[in-house]
Structures are given as C-alpha cells and as structure tokens.
C-alpha cells in the first residue's frame, strides 16, 4: 500500500481471514455432519470434528439412496445432473456460436429482427413463464427426459452476445485473407474462428456448467419420475420429508456431493471462471 | 504471370457514395504498379476490387485474359499482403503459408516444397514452427510475403504492407520486396500513401485523388512533367512551390503576384496575358547575385547535412510559403536571401490546375 | 454490428440461426405470449370453460393483501440481500486489496461459494440454524435467543437472507476487487501526499471511483434476489411460516402448480416480466453510460 502501517496490514489480513472462516464454516459443519451417525447429530451435542462414518454414509447415499427421496441412489442423481449440465452447456455454446457467426459475418434480410428476437430472451427467465413453458414441454411429451431437462434452457442471449462481441474484435483482414486462401464460410468458421474463440468457449463453459448443474426450478417441474431427479433438487426431497425428521447425516453427505463438481470446476479453472464472469456481464 | 487490365472501373457504395469514378489501367506482365494518393482517395478500394473483396459497380477487371468481376477472391489467381499482415494467430508460420494451398487440395509434398522454397528465399526457415506472436514486425512481414509467394499467383496485391514497420526497417523491406518482385517477375499492384516508397519501387505510378487517376506514368515522368498541380505537389519532397502570376507580353516571363518576375526557358507567346500557377521545385531554386533574383525572407532554416532547406516567403507575398533546397551548408545569421529559378519551371492553369 | 466483408449465401445464415431461434420461439416467446394471453382469462373450477375478462386478474391481484404482502417481502428480501452481500464483499475486497501478499490465495478461498446452487446454500444454512440440531440455533440459545424459523416469520426471513447473501458475496467480491485494482495507484498516492489517511482516502477517493461498479452490482444483486433465489426458499422455508418468506417467484410457482390458478399465476408472471424488463433496461442504460467513461 501507499504508506507503511503494519497494524493496518495485520488488520486487513485478519478481516479477510475472518471472512473466509465465516464463508467456509457452513461447509465444515456440513462435512462434519456427513461423517457422523444420525444419533450424534440428534442428541443435541453438535459435533465439531469429523466422525468415523465417512465411508458408511457416503456409500449409503451413493449406492442405496434415501427412502424419503424415493430411494434413488445419489449416484444416479449425480449422473442425471451431469447429463443435464453438460447438455445445457454444450448446447448453449454450440447454438450461440453459430447464431453469433450468422449475425456478424452474413448480411441477410431480417438480420436485425433475428438479433432482437434473441435479445428478448434475456428478459424472459424461466421463473416468469413457468406454467406455459411447462405446458409446452408436456405437450411435446418431454417430461421425464433428458431432452426436456435441457433443451428448453439452451437458448442463450448472453452467450450469443459474448460471441458476437468477440467476433467483432477479430480483425476483418483475417476473414479476407481466408477468402483469398480459398476458405468458404464453413472452412473459415472451423479453421480460423473456432480456434480463435477457444479461450472464450472455455470461460463460458465454466460459467454455463455451473448454471446448468445448479438448475433447480426447471428439473423440479419436469421430473416426476424419481429416476430423472437431479441432485440439487433431490436434496430438497430429503429435507422436506413429511413423515419423519430428516436423516441429516445422509442429507449432508448428499449436499457435499452436490457441491463438489461445480466447486471443483471453479477452483481449478479460476482464471477462466473470472474471465467468463466478467465477460458475460458486459 | 499475366497482364492486368482495368477498364472503366467504378465503385458506388449502396449508400450512394461514389468512391471510384472510372479507372482505366493496363498493367504489363511483370510490371510493378504503385497506386499512391492521400487517404480516402480510393486506392485501397481499387486494390480490394481487384482482389475481389469489394464488388465492381461498373467496368471490367481482367486478369490474364479472364474477366474476374464475378469470381471469388480465391479463384482470381491473386495473392495479397495486408497492412496488418492478417496472419492466422493460432497457426504456425508453416501452416499460415500452407493454408491456402491445402484449401486448394494440393499434394502434401508439393505444399512442403513450395513453403520451404519460399521460406528459403525470405530467410525465415528457422521460424517455420513459431506462431506469429513470437515474431518481430519485420519477420511477420516476411511471413505475409511468404504466404503470397507460395501461391505462385498471376498478380501480387500489396495493401500498404510496410506502414506498420519502423522507418529503418521500412527502407530495408522496400528494397527486398522490389528485388523479390524482379526475381519472381510477378505482376504487382502496390498501394501506399508514402510518395517516397511509391517513387522508389514503382515501374509506373498511378497518382489517385478523389476516386480518379490524376496521372499514370513512370516516376521520372511524374517528377519531370506533372500533369496537374495535385501531382506536382504530391510527388517530390519537399513539395513543389506554387506561385501565382500572369504570363507577360511575348510569353518570355511570368510576372508573379508578389511583384517578382521569373523567366521562362521556352517562350510561350500563346499564353501571353493568362493567369497561371507557376510551379518550381525547391531544388530548382538557386541563390542568385544581389538584385538579380527574388528576395526570400527566411522563417526557418533546416540543416539536413547534405542539404539545407530554407523556408520563407517572397517579398510582397506574406501568404505563400516558399521552400528552397540548397546543396551543402548555409551560413547562419542571414534573414533574407536572393533566389532565382533554374530552367525547370512548370505552368498550370490557375483555375483547373491542369498543365499548360 | 457487422463485418465489412460478409459472406454471401442465401440460406446458410438462416440455417445457422435456426436452432437458436427455434428454441427461443418454442420455449421462450410462445410461453411468454401464452402467459400474456392467459393473464386476461378466467378458467372455471373444472377447467372446462374460459372467459375473457380483460384486466380483472390484475385488479384482483393488486387488491389481494396476500399478494401485496408478497410484494413487500420481495422488496425487503432483495434489498437486505443486496445490502448485506455487497457491504461484506466490499469490506473483504478492500482488505484483500490492501494485502499484497496472499491476495490471490484469498481470492481462491472466497470465490467458490458462487458455484454452490442456491437450493444447496439454503440447505446448508437451514441445517446450521435448525432449532434442534443446528449449531447456530444452539449458540443463539446460549445467548438467550430462542431461534425457530419454523414458527417465527422474522427468523425465517433472516435465514433466507443469510443464505442468499452468503452465496452472492463471492460474486460481489470479485467485481469489487477488480474495480479496486482498476483504480490507478498514482491517484491514491497523490491523495496520500495530500495528507489523506487510509480511512479518508477510502471515502473521498476509492468509494466514489467505485460507484459505477457499486451501481452495477446493485442491479445485478436485486435481479438475483428477485429471480434466482427460488431454490433457497423452496428448499428451506417453502414460503413459510404463514407466508413470511413468500416472494414473488415462489408465489407464481405455488399458485400455478399447487393452487392451479391459471389466470392469477399468469397475471403474476406478467408482473414479473415487467419487472425484469425494467431492470434490464436500467442495466443497459448503465452500460451505455459506462462506455462513455
């Protein structure tokens, strides 16, 4: 900093560390709870250190599931979440890339109309059109299917704008050089534009994977068959068990598993994640 | 190897802007033509029309006996070097050069042969495995050249290829490009706004202004016999001095508006009494004995070593700046000097600017 | 908007846009139009006949004290979340920015809650505050406060605000930190030479320069609290107790799916659409202004 004030520096570190402790606390408690037998949690003396039931609890949820949540093994839910998250991510990136390419590199009637149509989706989050969207998906017979889980979510104005923005910064001469080199629209896209976009694609992948994995309301609506439950919504089924008290140790183990994939993605790909976050808000 | 013919070429943009007003130009096989002019004169547009990057509104472009107006750039048998090089940043130098050949479906070993040969000519063999961002400006320039060479095209197109280089490198590359073009004997069209570059490189120059070709000719023709005041001031550095005056009775001299008088080497009786613009290059003004020339009041003296530039104005004309180029040194401390014109003076119509 | 050199092809651009447009039309535009239409209809109890009633659904909606309560809850919830998560994030960002050593490590340790699903964040805090087994409820009992979000509406609201803010701190932290790091050092040094202490420097130099970031984050946080927190509410309080934590998006869902009030739910959807559109407009105006700087 500007001047040397050791006590202020120490204070800064302390405040940040305190912030981190408060941030991490819920995860620690959750992890601890997921390693104890249910009796330890229910008897009123809340444990602060991990117990000895780590393998047992995680094996139970992964393999057998929790009866209140339809007895679906969490392993299946994790798989469903993965399929949904990847379908949404890859789908969004793919259709946004080609749509942005069309808008930036082609001149055709109704170009701006198409652009605005895509823009409007920004203003229509699923939360504001729950019922009619559900009706459409039901009429198409897509309830309880991976297509129904992911397809209605893959139109993305944000991703299209991001790619459009990026394409506009690509020097015009590259396209011209490619034309002289005999590359048509498809070759130019595949050989030049796509490789140049890979950092943007990767950054967007991180953001969209988290978005897809964390979907809650939509899977809640379109899955009635337990075998299509995703993990994030599956937890809710466990906590809201009507007949009995929640089996907290298993709920917490499931919660840990639900958090793990997106958190790992963010921490491992931190640079790309920050880039993606900043760029999608432009 | 081919001839290039433009006839009546026009460019009118959809918004109505008339960028090119009808250009006729015949380029001989192996000739090096430079399009030169100030920014916005249409020189780049014309080049891009030849490349096929802009559509032709009217007229025809003919390369090697084939009208190419409606052909894709790739089918015109041309190669282009861009101002910012336009190298594909994610491809290695080798792949940058090979890309166009691969798109043509050329055999691998033939591609390899051509790339290595071009790399040899340009002395960039050690860089074939690098990416463009690992190269210096001059090296990128060579790669861009290499990409054009491997195509073995009928026509080379250059769009201000040296303007992103520093001054020293620019001079060096200028010589290299010219030498290379001679060696390969490929018809070339070269766009620049730098008249020195234009003069030194061109077999023939096209001076463009406002979407028209003001004059087409060899550098010496343009220097010795500029057809318009625009060409007269654009070619040559420092610019030609233009002085207003009236041709005297008998056509033996021009009475300048400033009061001084300049003798004409060849009497022009036909012009007697006509208002003219007299052009004389700075290097064609020489010191004269007292009383025999015009008095130049000095504003600024620039010593360049070999030459000295004197900037000032003539007695009786405060407005018009006049430059004189002296070889050798100039004794400091003088605030005026007597100058006289040598034989090389040019007369232009004062209204149209055309040579008379 | 478009490149100087464009490819010419009569059908390719449409083919490229087709997937995006198809999904948009089928799953976005059509349902939105349906919602608009249905908001003007009333369906009888058996779903056999519908009647066109113009704006009756909206009139009913705004005459319904339950809906107005929900509206108020949403406003309280949103601004509490925005205020709590932004002020904490700003504090942490300023402190982290001061620490030259460790700033990167701190960043890594603070950003990951962004990746936690809202519903999961809700469950974490739901557990910690659980009156029977939760550590926070236990600690509060030690302080003499009898926490029970199952019965006390205030407790429930605080619970969802904490969960929602906790998740959002990392996002705000990242943007504040980026904003702070974009402030030229020379400016702060100049202020120091002018005799401004660290605290004064913050309020007179740093905070005003951060105001574009702050405003941007305010809009983003409000949007987040309005629309992305459904999971937090649904996975924990389910709007209870007695509707104390019922927010607008939750009510659309519960009236539509549980109450099966088609027209009413559609009218609520339309109200939400209007809110999103206005917030989006505000956000874009802001971006336009930011470009000028």
């Amino acid at each position: 900093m500007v001047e040397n004030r050791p006590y202020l520096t120490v204070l800064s570190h302390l405040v940040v560390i305190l912030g981190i402790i408060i941030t991490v606390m819920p995860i620690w408690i959750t992890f601890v709870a997921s390693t104890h037998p249910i009796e330890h949690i229910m008897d009123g003396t809340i444990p602060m250190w991990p117990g000895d039931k780590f393998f047992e609890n995680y094996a139970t949820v992964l393999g057998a599931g929790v009866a209140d949540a339809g007895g679906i093994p969490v392993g299946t839910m994790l798989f469903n979440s993965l399929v949904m998250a990847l379908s949404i991510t890859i789908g969004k990136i793919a259709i946004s890339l080609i749509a942005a390419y069309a808008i930036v590199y082609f001149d055709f009637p109704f170009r701006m109309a198409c652009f605005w149509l895509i823009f409007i989706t920004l203003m229509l989050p699923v939360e504001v059109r729950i019922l009619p969207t559900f009706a459409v998906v039901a009429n198409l017979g897509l309830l309880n299917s991976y297509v129904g889980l992911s397809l209605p979510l893959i139109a993305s104005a944000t991703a299209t704008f991001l790619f459009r923005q990026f394409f506009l910064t690509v020097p015009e001469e590259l396209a011209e050089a490619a034309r002289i080199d005999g590359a048509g629209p498809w070759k130019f896209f595949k050989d030049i534009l796509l490789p140049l976009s890979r950092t943007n694609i990767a950054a967007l992948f991180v953001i969209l994977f988290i978005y897809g994995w964390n979907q809650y309301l939509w899977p809640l609506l379109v899955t009635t068959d337990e075998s299509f439950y995703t993990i994030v919504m599956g937890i809710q089924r466990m906590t809201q068990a009507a007949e009995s008290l929640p089996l907290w140790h298993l709920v917490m183990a499931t919660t840990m598993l639900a958090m793990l994939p997106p958190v790992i993605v963010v921490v491992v790909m931190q640079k790309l994640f920050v880039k993606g976050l900043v760029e999608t808000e432009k | 190897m081919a001839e290039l013919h433009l006839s009546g070429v026009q460019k009118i943009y959809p918004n109505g802007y008339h960028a090119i007003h009808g250009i006729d130009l015949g380029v001989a096989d192996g000739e090096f033509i430079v399009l030169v002019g100030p920014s916005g004169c249409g020189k780049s547009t014309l080049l891009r029309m030849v490349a096929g990057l802009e559509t032709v509104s009217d007229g025809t472009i003919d390369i090697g006996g084939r009208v190419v107006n409606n052909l894709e750039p790739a089918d015109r048998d041309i190669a282009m070097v861009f101002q910012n090089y336009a190298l594909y940043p994610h491809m290695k130098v080798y792949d940058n050069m090979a890309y166009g050949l691969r798109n043509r479906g050329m055999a691998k070993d033939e591609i390899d042969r051509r790339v290595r040969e071009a790399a040899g000519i340009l002395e960039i063999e050690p860089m074939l495995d690098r990416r463009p961002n690992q190269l210096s400006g001059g090296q990128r320039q060579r790669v861009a050249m290499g990409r054009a060479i491997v195509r073995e095209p009928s026509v080379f197109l250059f769009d201000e290829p040296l303007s992103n280089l520093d001054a020293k490198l620019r001079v060096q590359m200028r010589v290299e490009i010219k030498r290379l073009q001679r060696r390969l004997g490929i018809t070339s069209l070269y766009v620049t706004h730098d008249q020195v570059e234009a003069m030194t490189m061109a077999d023939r120059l096209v001076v463009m202004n406002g979407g028209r070709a003001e004059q087409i000719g060899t550098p010496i023709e343009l220097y010795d016999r500029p057809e318009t005041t625009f060409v007269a001031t654009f070619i040559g550095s420092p610019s030609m001095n233009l002085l207003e005056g009236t041709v005297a009775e008998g056509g033996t001299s021009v009475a300048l508006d400033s009061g001084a008088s300049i003798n004409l080497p060849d009497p022009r009786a036909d012009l007697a009494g006509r208002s003219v613009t007299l052009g004389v290059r700075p290097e064609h003004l020489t010191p004269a004995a007292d009383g025999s020339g015009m008095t130049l009041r000095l504003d600024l003296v620039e010593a360049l070593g070999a030459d000295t530039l004197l900037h000032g104005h003539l007695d009786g004309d405060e407005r018009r700046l006049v430059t004189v180029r002296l070889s050798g040194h100039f004794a400091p401390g003088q605030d005026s000097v007597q100058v006289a014109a040598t034989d090389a003076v040019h007369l232009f119509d004062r209204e149209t600017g055309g040579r008379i | 908007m478009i490149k100087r050199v464009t490819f010419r092809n009569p059908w390719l651009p449409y083919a490229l846009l087709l997937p995006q447009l198809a999904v948009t039309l089928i799953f976005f535009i059509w349902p939105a139009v349906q919602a608009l239409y249905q908001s003007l209809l009333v369906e009888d109890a058996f779903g056999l006949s519908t009647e066109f009633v113009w704006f009756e659904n909206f009139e009913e909606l705004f005459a319904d004290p339950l809906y107005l309560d929900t509206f108020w809850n949403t406003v309280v919830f949103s601004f509490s979340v925005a205020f709590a998560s932004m002020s904490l994030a700003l504090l942490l960002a300023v402190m982290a920015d001061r620490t030259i050593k460790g700033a990167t490590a701190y960043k890594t340790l603070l950003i990951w809650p962004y990746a936690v699903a809202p519903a999961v964040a809700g469950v974490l805090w739901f557990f910690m505050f659980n009156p029977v087994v939760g550590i926070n409820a236990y600690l509060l009992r030690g302080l003499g406060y009898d926490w029970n979000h199952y019965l006390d509406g205030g407790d429930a609201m605080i619970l969802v605000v904490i969960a929602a803010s906790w998740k959002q701190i990392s996002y705000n932290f990242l943007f504040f930190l980026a904003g702070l790091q974009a402030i030229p050092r020379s400016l702060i040094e100049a202020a120091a030479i002018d005799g401004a202490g660290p605290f004064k420097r913050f309020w007179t130099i740093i905070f005003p320069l951060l105001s574009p970031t702050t405003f941007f984050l305010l809009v983003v946080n409000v949007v987040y609290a309005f629309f992305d927190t459904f999971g937090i509410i649904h996975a924990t309080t389910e709007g209870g107790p007695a509707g104390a934590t019922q927010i607008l998006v939750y009510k659309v869902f519960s009236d539509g799916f549980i109450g099966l009030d088609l027209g009413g739910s559609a009218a609520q959807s339309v109200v939400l659409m209007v809110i999103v559109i206005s917030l989006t407009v505000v956000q874009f105006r802001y971006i336009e202004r930011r470009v000028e700087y």
Side-chain angles (χ1 to χ4, degrees):
Chain A
M1 226 24 209
V2 181
E3 66 274 82
N4 195 12
R5 301 197 190 194
Y7 69 93
L8 260 178
T9 309
V10 170
L11 180 76
S12 303
H13 281 281
L14 281 180
V15 169
V16 178
I17 289 167
L18 194 69
I20 290 170
I21 290 173
I22 293 172
T23 314
V24 177
M25 202 53 159
I27 308 298
W28 177 250
I29 302 282
T30 303
F31 175 69
V32 168
S34 74
T35 59
H36 281 272
I38 185 70
E39 300 79 34
H40 284 188
I41 298 167
M42 299 305 285
D43 68 5
T45 55
I46 293 116
M48 287 305 290
W49 288 104
D52 56 358
K53 298 285 188 217
F54 176 82
F55 291 106
E56 203 179 315
N57 289 347
Y58 281 83
T60 305
V61 292
L62 277 172
V66 179
D68 292 326
I72 295 299
V74 170
T76 307
M77 293 189 198
L78 279 170
F79 178 76
N80 290 341
S81 283
L82 188 70
V83 171
M84 177 178 70
L86 287 178
S87 309
I88 291 175
T89 308
I90 294 167
K92 268 188 188 244
I93 289 176
I95 71 172
S96 300
L97 262 173
I98 57 175
Y101 179 53
I103 285 176
V104 174
Y105 280 95
F106 290 84
D107 196 7
F108 54 95
F110 305 114
R111 193 175 69 88
M112 285 315 285
C114 294
F115 179 75
W116 283 109
L117 208 60
I118 295 169
F119 180 83
I120 288 175
T121 57
L122 207 60
M123 308 196 187
L124 298 171
V126 69
E127 284 78 6
V128 310
R129 50 187 170 84
I130 299 175
L131 267 180
T133 315
F134 174 79
V136 169
V137 173
N139 288 337
L140 291 174
L142 295 176
L143 299 182
N144 295 314
S145 73
Y146 290 128
V147 177
L149 273 174
S150 48
L151 186 64
L153 299 178
I154 69 170
S156 169
T158 319
T160 310
F161 287 170
L162 176 73
F163 286 126
R164 173 182 161 272
Q165 215 62 36
F166 172 70
F167 291 166
L168 287 176
T169 65
V170 173
E172 310 246 10
E173 287 82 358
L174 280 188
E176 297 178 344
R179 273 182 80 184
I180 292 176
D181 273 341
W186 174 243
K187 257 196 147 64
F188 171 68
F189 182 68
K190 177 175 70 83
D191 293 343
I192 315 284
L193 214 49
L194 217 50
L196 288 179
S197 313
R198 51 173 196 264
T199 332
N200 284 284
I201 293 175
L204 209 54
F205 189 96
V206 176
I207 300 291
L208 293 179
F209 180 81
I210 295 165
Y211 166 88
W213 183 274
N214 289 348
Q215 281 303 311
Y216 181 77
L217 172 60
W218 188 244
L220 197 68
L221 300 182
V222 297
T223 59
T224 48
D225 177 348
E226 288 91 345
S227 63
F228 281 98
Y229 276 10
T230 64
I231 188 158
V232 173
M233 63 164 291
I235 294 171
Q236 188 267 347
R237 289 281 193 268
M238 298 179 191
T239 58
Q240 305 293 345
E243 304 298 313
S244 54
L245 284 167
L247 297 170
W248 283 114
H249 61 312
L250 300 183
V251 174
M252 290 298 119
T254 311
T255 307
M256 287 304 291
L257 292 170
M259 281 187 291
L260 218 51
V263 168
I264 287 175
V265 167
V266 163
V267 172
V268 172
M269 305 203 235
Q270 188 180 338
K271 273 223 168 72
L272 283 173
F273 163 70
V274 173
K275 178 180 162 64
L277 207 59
V278 173
E279 307 244 312
T280 49
E281 291 300 345
K282 267 185 194 159
Chain B
M1 317 288 135
E3 294 185 356
L4 166 68
H5 289 281
L6 311 184
S7 49
V9 171
Q10 297 204 32
K11 177 70 188 180
I12 303 167
Y13 282 102
N15 64 12
Y17 177 64
H18 206 145
I20 305 281
H21 290 271
I23 300 268
D24 295 291
L25 173 68
V27 184
D29 187 15
E31 199 177 10
F32 196 108
I33 295 283
V34 174
L35 304 176
V36 66
S39 57
C41 70
K43 56 190 190 297
S44 281
T45 309
L46 189 63
L47 186 83
R48 294 165 55 79
M49 285 161 85
V50 176
L53 299 170
E54 300 273 1
T55 54
V56 178
S57 308
D58 197 15
T60 57
I61 296 174
D62 172 314
I63 297 174
R66 202 165 49 128
V67 174
V68 297
N69 281 31
N70 294 315
L71 291 183
E72 275 292 302
D75 304 327
R76 294 186 176 203
D77 202 13
I78 49 122
M80 184 156 167
V81 178
F82 292 87
Q83 180 174 359
N84 64 3
Y85 320 133
L87 300 177
Y88 310 121
H90 59 294
M91 291 186 192
K92 290 175 179 168
V93 167
Y94 185 98
D95 299 311
N96 260 289
M97 290 164 71
Y99 185 66
L101 304 180
R102 285 187 189 135
N103 286 340
R104 278 180 175 64
M106 190 178 281
K108 256 207 166 96
D109 38 338
E110 172 66 5
I111 294 178
D112 193 60
R113 188 190 66 75
R114 287 197 187 189
V115 170
R116 297 206 180 274
E117 190 188 322
I121 294 171
L122 293 161
E123 295 166 12
I124 50 172
E125 291 118 317
M127 288 141 212
L128 286 177
D129 279 335
R130 298 205 200 147
R131 286 183 205 281
N133 60 10
Q134 298 166 301
L135 303 180
S136 70
Q139 291 168 337
R140 284 181 211 184
Q141 171 63 51
R142 282 162 200 266
V143 176
M145 291 287 302
R147 184 167 66 177
I149 291 175
V150 294
R151 304 270 305 273
E152 299 180 1
S154 296
V155 178
F156 269 149
L157 303 174
F158 299 90
D159 190 3
E160 309 217 15
L162 302 181
S163 57
N164 281 5
L165 300 177
D166 63 51
K168 198 175 155 203
L169 207 52
R170 206 179 305 162
V171 174
Q172 184 194 333
M173 285 306 294
R174 187 165 92 194
V175 175
E176 272 187 43
I177 290 180
K178 180 69 187 167
R179 192 185 296 149
L180 193 65
Q181 192 266 345
R182 284 260 169 75
R183 175 171 164 191
L184 301 171
I186 294 177
T187 312
S188 299
L189 210 52
Y190 186 108
V191 162
T192 182
H193 62 267
D194 179 342
Q195 59 99 12
V196 176
E197 211 171 290
M199 294 288 281
T200 52
M201 298 182 82
D203 292 330
R204 279 194 300 150
L205 285 166
V206 179
V207 180
M208 291 190 64
N209 184 29
R212 290 187 172 82
E214 289 266 337
Q215 190 173 355
I216 301 175
T218 65
I220 296 306
E221 278 168 15
L222 263 59
Y223 179 83
D224 285 346
R225 248 189 98 76
E227 288 299 330
T228 63
T229 50
F230 179 82
V231 176
T233 50
F234 195 80
I235 300 295
S237 172
S239 278
M240 183 186 280
N241 298 301
L242 295 178
L243 304 164
E244 270 90 40
T246 312
V247 179
E249 208 61 42
T252 54
S253 66
V254 173
L256 297 182
D257 293 357
S258 62
S261 170
I262 291 182
N263 288 333
L264 293 177
D266 306 311
R268 298 290 301 270
D270 56 318
L271 299 177
R274 184 143 162 203
S275 290
V276 294
T277 302
L278 180 136
V280 55
R281 294 196 184 275
E283 51 271 39
H284 297 143
L285 285 171
T286 51
D290 275 354
S292 67
M294 307 172 282
T295 308
L296 181 71
R297 304 252 165 240
L298 293 180
D299 296 328
L300 178 68
V301 175
E302 292 177 311
L304 302 176
D307 301 323
T308 306
L309 296 181
L310 309 178
H311 301 280
H313 50 270
L314 294 178
D315 244 357
D317 185 357
E318 298 292 315
R319 198 170 47 86
R320 181 74 73 168
L321 202 72
V322 171
T323 304
V324 176
R325 183 179 201 142
L326 297 178
S327 51
H329 300 297
F330 180 75
Q334 308 174 48
D335 58 2
S336 73
V337 64
Q338 291 289 309
V339 292
T342 61
D343 291 351
V345 295
H346 310 263
L347 290 181
F348 303 97
D349 184 277
R350 208 190 271 197
E351 300 300 316
T352 64
R355 187 178 188 89
I356 47 179
Chain C
M1 280 310 286
I2 188 166
K3 293 285 180 176
R4 183 173 64 200
V5 174
T6 50
F7 292 108
R8 274 166 290 177
N9 192 311
W11 55 267
L12 188 60
Y14 297 104
L16 291 171
L17 277 163
L18 185 69
Q20 176 91 297
L21 291 181
V23 174
T24 302
L25 285 172
I26 297 171
F27 297 110
F28 286 74
I29 307 289
W30 172 246
V33 172
Q34 285 278 298
L36 277 173
Y37 178 62
Q38 281 165 1
S39 69
L40 306 176
L41 298 180
V42 166
E43 198 171 65
D44 69 26
F46 307 101
L48 294 175
S49 67
T50 50
E51 193 193 339
F52 194 80
V53 293
W54 287 105
F55 299 105
E56 217 171 87
N57 286 322
F58 292 94
E59 283 164 28
E60 264 176 42
L61 207 56
F62 285 102
D64 179 1
L66 263 179
Y67 187 69
L68 296 178
D69 281 351
T70 306
F71 220 114
W72 178 241
N73 285 343
T74 312
V75 172
V76 170
F77 173 71
S78 302
F79 283 92
S80 309
V81 170
F83 180 76
S85 63
M86 283 173 69
S87 45
L88 280 171
L90 180 59
L91 176 70
L92 291 174
V94 169
M95 294 302 165
D97 188 40
R98 290 188 62 86
T99 63
I100 300 150
K101 284 177 203 142
T104 327
Y106 289 149
K107 199 157 125 184
T108 310
L109 286 167
L110 278 169
I111 59 169
W112 58 269
Y114 177 85
V116 177
V120 173
V123 170
L124 293 181
W125 290 92
F126 189 60
F127 175 64
M128 294 200 4
F129 277 105
N130 186 289
V132 185
V133 302
I135 179 158
N136 289 5
Y138 172 80
L139 292 175
L140 285 169
R141 252 198 319 279
L143 294 171
Y145 186 81
D146 198 11
W147 176 277
N148 192 337
H149 56 243
Y150 287 104
L151 301 173
D152 187 309
D155 288 358
M157 180 57 100
I158 291 170
L159 170 71
V160 290
V161 167
I162 289 176
S165 310
W166 173 78
K167 192 191 134 36
Q168 195 65 3
I169 284 177
S170 52
Y171 182 93
N172 296 339
F173 172 78
L174 272 179
F175 276 83
F176 273 133
L177 192 61
L180 286 168
Q181 287 170 346
I183 295 175
R185 280 290 116 139
S186 58
L187 242 106
I188 294 161
E189 283 160 1
I193 290 166
D194 282 341
F199 196 71
K200 187 153 192 184
R201 280 205 302 271
F202 177 78
W203 287 114
T204 56
I205 311 284
I206 297 173
F207 192 70
L209 285 175
L210 268 184
S211 64
T213 308
T214 311
F215 179 71
F216 160 77
L217 285 177
L218 182 66
V219 177
V220 169
N221 279 278
V222 169
V223 172
Y224 158 79
F226 259 72
F227 299 101
D228 293 340
T229 48
F230 173 86
I232 296 179
I233 308 279
H234 187 257
T236 59
T237 63
E238 291 192 296
T245 56
Q246 173 136 291
I247 62 170
L248 290 170
V249 280
Y250 191 81
K251 192 164 161 62
V252 179
F253 165 81
S254 63
D255 285 6
F257 269 84
I258 299 158
L260 295 175
D261 172 11
L262 218 56
S265 173
Q268 294 183 35
S269 287
V270 172
V271 173
L272 279 174
M273 263 184 238
V274 172
I275 295 173
V276 191
I277 291 169
S278 5
L279 285 171
T280 313
V281 169
V282 169
Q283 204 170 340
F284 270 74
R285 291 217 111 167
Y286 156 75
I287 288 169
E288 271 172 28
R289 249 201 0 215
R290 186 167 61 164
V291 170
E292 283 173 24
Y293 281 127

